[in-house]
Amino acid sequence: MAERNGAQPCLYHWHDEIEILCGLERETVVGVLERPYRLKEGDILIIGPRQNHCLFPSEREAKRLVLSFHPSLLFSKSAFAVDGACFSRIRRHSSQWSREGREAVEKSIAVIEREYRQRKPGWREGVYAQLMLLAVAAIRLLPLETPEKRYSSQDDSLKRVLSYLSEHDLSSLMLKDCAEALGFNETYLSGLFKRQTGTTFHQYVLKLRLNQAEQLLENTNLSISAVSVQSGFSSVKTFHRVFHEQYGVTPGQYRDQIRAVLQPGVIGT
């Protein structure tokens, strides 16, 4: 369990764990199976194991609580195995749940957070009990996704755009080039991206570049100039300006602050 902000978007990925996201402040846009979901304050989103998902760029002040656990924790015993996919079959956003279902999930998450943070004797058992209650809620109270549900042509278009962005170098991600490669009108693509993700194409690419820069500054000894190039910025001057606008410090100052916290040492060269 951890709190996260909107500073670090990520491309589509999957893992074996079940992931539950709770909106705390502002808004985060989450893509799950190529569909965007808006996670606002008070919203809950449940992502099943091995379901592709990503985080779109959002405001740095946007905060969410992340709860992650492996399904084997609950369903390893044969008696429970029949319901092992319960978190994958449900409608994942809380806006689609009944009041009873939402309240049950909210209550369990609140208890899990309290147990996890206070760490009193028996806290692991307390967390486990609430995870089981979450599974019961998923089985009994949360509506199932319609298997035959078909996605719109706009969803398919967004999937193609995101695939393009994940497959190309950060320095070459331009709206015009993407539109031409995929056969879209540039204005149409710009509007589609904004409607579906809540952010502009330019903002999304910029966040990807800044995220890459963060990782390089934190985990390598590359020069600031090299970090700029590998993050896809057109010049070191632009990199400095954009980074300072977003983080309030220069790239070098950011690295020094991180090193002071994460000592000893860094990896890579």
Side-chain angles (χ1 to χ4, degrees), residues 214-241:
E214 277 191 57
Q215 301 305 312
L216 294 175
L217 290 170
E218 293 176 12
N219 300 315
T220 77
N221 288 317
L222 290 171
S223 67
I224 301 301
S225 177
V227 170
S228 172
V229 171
Q230 292 197 21
S231 301
F233 286 92
S234 57
S235 68
V236 177
K237 182 178 179 180
T238 299
F239 174 48
H240 270 271
R241 176 180 58 79

Side-chain angles (χ1 to χ4, degrees), residues 29-46:
V29 180
V30 185
V32 186
L33 300 177
E34 289 82 39
R35 290 183 62 81
Y37 294 86
R38 297 182 184 278
L39 188 72
K40 300 179 181 179
E41 183 178 347
D43 287 344
I44 302 171
L45 185 71
I46 297 180

Side-chain angles (χ1 to χ4, degrees), residues 182-248:
L182 299 178
F184 293 130
N185 174 277
E186 189 173 338
T187 302
Y188 168 80
L189 178 57
S190 177
L192 168 69
F193 203 90
K194 177 66 174 180
R195 288 193 303 274
Q196 293 287 78
T197 69
T199 189
T200 66
F201 184 94
H202 173 72
Q203 289 171 334
Y204 181 78
V205 172
L206 182 61
K207 283 289 188 179
L208 290 180
R209 290 172 177 161
L210 288 170
N211 185 47
Q212 171 76 348
E214 277 191 57
Q215 301 305 312
L216 294 175
L217 290 170
E218 293 176 12
N219 300 315
T220 77
N221 288 317
L222 290 171
S223 67
I224 301 301
S225 177
V227 170
S228 172
V229 171
Q230 292 197 21
S231 301
F233 286 92
S234 57
S235 68
V236 177
K237 182 178 179 180
T238 299
F239 174 48
H240 270 271
R241 176 180 58 79
V242 172
F243 196 94
H244 190 274
E245 287 175 354
Q246 292 293 318
Y247 299 99

